[in-house]
Amino acid sequence: MRRETLLNAAILAGFLALPLWAWMADEPFIITLTTRAAILALAGVGLNLALGLGGLVSLGHAAFFGIGGYAMGVLAFHAQTYTPLTEAPFLIEGTKSMPVIWLVALITSALAALVIGALSLRTSGVYFIMITLAFGQMFYFFMISWPAYGGEDGMSIYLRNGFPGLNTLDPIQFYALCFVLLAGALWLVSRIQHSAFGLALAAARQSPMRVTSVGIRPRSLHLLAFTLSGAITGLAGALFADLNRFVSPTMFSWQTSGEIMVFVILGGVGRLLGPVLGAAIFIAMEHWLDGVSDYWHIYLGAILLGMVLFARGGLIGLIAGREVAHD
Amino acid sequence: MTLLLLIEQCLNGLQMGVALFLMAAGLTLIFGVMGVINLAHGSLFMVGAFAAAGVAAATGSYTLALIAALAASAVAGVLMEVLVIRRLYARDHLDQVLATFALILIFSEGTRFLFGSFPLYIDTPALLSGPITLPGGIDYPRYRLFIIAMGLAIAGGLFWFIARTRIGIQIRAGEVDREMIAALGVDISKLYTAVFALGAALAGLAGALIGAIQSVEVGMGEPVLILAFVVIVIGGIGSIKGAFIGALLVGLTDTLGRVLLPQVFGLVMDASSATTVGASLASMAIYILMAGILVFRPSGLFGRAT
């Protein structure tokens, strides 16, 4: 356990030190790259709650990532064109304020996760994987064929949304916001892990029958975990859209779901900082391998394959040992 | 909307359905017998299409192209099984998803490396190109009819193969109890490789058939793969009959939805918003169908209850 704690501290220290160095060395690109890693890590932290703690293999988390992204996109689009979202039954205006956008992203993606979860959790195993995948595709094709918000082309938001008291266009200040949210999500997940709910959830993953026999319904635990998980990934989607100042149906694509899952597994399923390390390594590989070869996905695929076949427990498992994994 | 148009669209739906069946049959066999969820099945579809396009361009023979597609995808399937999938039988679905996701990356980029990013095209042979007039006066492309006939013939052959031959019996026994048939002296690892090769060859054939009516390009396998997943989830995983019925349902729902939904909405709203709403709903129709079926039958139409 101590080795994992040390490793966790080192990962977080890296996430603080690298952008600080880049800021002082005037390397805004490095800051943007780290911001990307932090946001994708946040999406992974969301998925890890369902996947690692709950054992729910969701291949449709792009749906929540995309919903978060479009929550930002739609609100900011209406704010920048000065058109209201709806006029009847009451007036809803767009907004450029990050806290409001975050709240909307959290609520809409949590609602979507609640509905998708309630339907999908009727199934289990491989059916669950495929039905979540299909729900993700459903949103993907809907956004492509719905012309109101850019359709297949997506839409650009010209100015990054604002946060009271900060200049979000300054890369380091935007990074600070993302890092605080990531740290907050990690704190929340670590609290959940040690709460009665988290323990019951872990127990339901290992033996649903025993959990049922002490009077807890595994499905309610799973649904709550899936909803929270979707909400966190949705928040990451809103930040990701703000980072790029662009949203498109790609956020909903099943490759996005696959990549979020890759972060989690690369780092270590069920480990608190697994997705954070996974996202950091993924972004680093994407950046460096892309410079080495145009066909860098081959190397990425080979590394992933090697990880699955020979290094179970992910990078954190590799470094900190397997004994802390509880299954 | 005339009756002729409706019949034509039904034929289109049938054509999409049989193509999906070729993909879904392999997936459902592989899952039913080996318990492996293979995301890289779409890559085998792509391998078949590229092999067909390459051989068709080199020799000009469509028959040779189809044979090449079968052979290349079967070989790719055997390699995939022996090198990677074999190690995943005892693993949980999560490892299988990730490893086969990695295989997709390798196959897609490998194909891009070999063939480049530009789409290729397969010419249909002269015998099968152009329209044919069906009874009732419908002009319908010969090639699409050929796909339907080919798909139905293969479906029939596959049902016979599974129901009547010795290997078919072993495959069905493998779905029911893996350890038992190993104990009865069937070489289970050879059987697994054979099933994988069969599934791969069917996927490759689907790729070659469909490759001639659309462009052959990297990434063409994944949309079909996801539709095939929908098919086997609807039909019940492991059931060939379920895959067949599911494939036809999905093919018809998708094709007819795109034609009919905008018209249905046209009855209650103005033309332009009816087109928008109808088209958006039609693109989601098969997923709605799947969700609806799973709510009532969580293990699909013909799946064994788990």
Side-chain angles (χ1 to χ4, degrees):
Chain A
M1 198 69 196
R2 279 197 56 85
R3 258 161 98 188
E4 191 179 345
T5 318
L6 276 176
L7 182 61
N8 287 353
I11 296 168
L12 286 180
F15 263 88
L16 278 175
L18 185 65
L20 268 180
W21 168 81
W23 180 52
M24 285 189 288
D26 199 24
E27 296 262 12
F29 179 67
I30 300 280
I31 303 179
T32 307
L33 215 57
T34 326
T35 313
R36 205 171 129 82
I39 293 171
L40 293 175
L42 181 63
V45 169
L47 178 64
N48 199 23
L49 189 59
L51 184 69
L53 266 188
L56 304 169
V57 186
S58 162
L59 201 45
H61 261 53
F64 314 125
F65 195 65
I67 287 173
Y70 271 89
M72 172 273 175
V74 169
L75 286 172
F77 169 78
H78 284 286
Q80 80 184 6
T81 54
Y82 301 102
T83 47
L85 249 75
T86 55
E87 283 168 338
F90 42 84
L91 187 73
I92 300 178
E93 302 256 18
T95 177
K96 296 285 283 178
S97 157
M98 274 191 197
V100 180
I101 287 172
W102 293 345
L103 193 67
V104 173
L106 278 170
I107 292 172
T108 47
S109 48
L111 277 177
L114 186 69
V115 173
I116 292 178
L119 287 169
S120 310
L121 284 168
R122 294 177 54 83
T123 66
S124 60
V126 72
Y127 284 94
F128 183 80
I129 301 176
M130 291 182 187
I131 194 173
T132 47
L133 175 69
F135 274 117
Q137 289 297 103
M138 194 159 126
F139 281 97
Y140 176 66
F141 286 118
F142 179 76
M143 275 335 292
I144 280 187
S145 55
W146 189 254
Y149 296 107
E152 204 166 353
D153 300 330
M155 52 183 171
S156 290
I157 302 301
Y158 304 117
L159 269 181
R160 189 169 284 158
N161 297 305
F163 190 89
L166 289 179
N167 172 16
T168 51
L169 284 171
D170 180 11
I172 194 78
Q173 296 192 31
F174 183 60
Y175 175 76
L177 273 177
C178 295
F179 183 79
V180 168
L181 287 177
L182 175 64
L186 285 170
W187 175 80
L188 182 75
V189 171
S190 83
R191 296 292 299 182
I192 289 177
Q193 263 177 338
H194 297 103
S195 70
F197 162 66
L199 293 172
L201 188 63
R205 184 187 71 228
Q206 289 159 17
S207 172
M209 204 178 284
R210 286 192 186 173
V211 172
T212 315
S213 73
V214 295
I216 303 172
R217 284 180 50 184
R219 193 184 287 176
S220 322
L221 296 171
H222 286 155
L223 189 56
L224 182 54
F226 195 78
T227 309
L228 285 172
S229 160
I232 295 176
T233 304
L235 178 62
L239 290 174
F240 192 74
D242 238 333
L243 172 68
N244 300 328
R245 278 167 274 172
F246 175 67
V247 283
S248 79
T250 316
M251 288 184 79
F252 282 110
S253 75
W254 77 283
Q255 282 91 343
T256 307
S257 296
E259 277 178 12
I260 298 175
M261 192 180 260
V262 166
F263 306 148
V264 176
I265 301 172
L266 198 60
V269 182
R271 311 291 182 125
L272 183 60
L273 285 209
V276 182
L277 182 60
I281 299 282
F282 187 92
I283 295 296
M285 281 204 298
E286 187 177 59
H287 182 60
W288 297 120
L289 286 178
D290 203 23
V292 176
S293 156
D294 283 344
Y295 305 102
W296 71 279
H297 272 107
I298 291 191
Y299 301 104
L300 176 68
I303 292 169
L304 274 177
L305 202 56
M307 291 288 302
V308 184
L309 294 179
F310 306 113
R312 302 173 70 181
L315 285 171
I316 292 190
L318 211 59
I319 301 170
R322 270 188 72 76
E323 73 272 22
V324 279
H326 294 294
D327 45 10
Chain B
M1 168 68 83
T2 61
L3 185 67
L4 287 186
L5 191 60
L6 194 68
I7 295 174
E8 194 179 332
Q9 293 301 331
C10 284
L11 283 172
N12 283 341
L14 195 62
Q15 179 255 309
M16 181 179 170
V18 295
L20 278 178
F21 171 71
L22 293 180
M23 276 292 281
L27 264 183
T28 207
L29 271 181
I30 289 167
F31 186 81
V33 178
M34 295 171 256
V36 168
I37 168 169
N38 182 20
L39 293 186
H41 208 66
S43 300
L44 297 168
F45 177 85
M46 181 184 73
V47 166
F50 270 94
V55 169
T59 64
S61 160
Y62 182 74
T63 322
L64 279 183
L66 280 190
I67 294 171
L70 279 169
S73 52
V75 168
V78 168
L79 281 178
M80 202 188 260
E81 200 271 345
V82 170
L83 294 178
V84 178
I85 307 282
R86 186 168 284 187
R87 298 165 207 276
L88 298 172
Y89 293 143
R91 302 291 190 84
D92 57 17
H93 293 321
L94 185 58
D95 284 351
Q96 297 169 353
V97 165
L98 198 71
T100 50
F101 185 76
L103 283 177
I104 293 181
L105 295 178
I106 295 172
F107 268 96
S108 296
E109 290 296 306
T111 313
R112 201 193 305 280
F113 179 71
L114 287 176
F115 289 87
S117 300
F118 294 102
L120 305 176
Y121 297 92
I122 304 173
D123 289 327
T124 52
L127 192 66
L128 295 172
S129 40
I132 188 171
T133 307
L134 298 178
I138 306 167
D139 281 333
Y140 197 73
R142 272 173 215 250
Y143 186 73
R144 284 177 186 261
L145 270 189
F146 167 70
I147 294 182
I148 295 176
M150 192 80 169
L152 290 178
I154 287 172
L158 200 60
F159 278 118
W160 171 81
F161 176 75
I162 298 284
R164 293 272 181 264
T165 62
R166 188 165 184 84
I167 300 183
I169 293 169
Q170 291 175 351
I171 289 175
R172 277 184 294 139
E175 287 187 16
V176 178
D177 194 333
R178 249 166 271 176
E179 285 164 17
M180 191 48 134
I181 79 153
L184 289 173
V186 175
D187 186 345
I188 194 88
S189 85
K190 264 191 198 145
L191 180 69
Y192 283 180
T193 312
V195 169
F196 210 91
L198 174 67
L202 289 176
L205 180 66
L209 288 175
I210 296 300
I213 47 178
Q214 61 171 58
S215 56
V216 175
E217 56 195 329
V218 174
M220 68 187 289
E222 279 68 50
V224 187
L225 171 84
I226 290 167
L227 288 180
F229 274 152
V230 172
V231 165
I232 67 173
V233 166
I234 286 179
I237 297 173
S239 161
I240 296 272
K241 184 166 70 169
F244 187 71
I245 301 212
L248 293 190
L249 264 179
V250 167
L252 287 172
T253 307
D254 191 62
T255 314
L256 293 182
R258 281 175 208 283
V259 184
L260 294 180
L261 278 176
Q263 308 223 352
V264 170
F265 282 101
L267 301 175
V268 288
M269 50 180 80
D270 64 276
S272 71
S273 50
T275 314
T276 315
V277 175
S280 316
L281 262 184
S283 67
M284 299 161 69
I286 53 170
Y287 302 105
I288 297 171
L289 173 77
M290 182 189 76
I293 286 180
L294 280 186
V295 168
F296 294 103
R297 293 190 64 100
S299 45
L301 292 176
F302 296 92
R304 280 190 294 270
T306 42

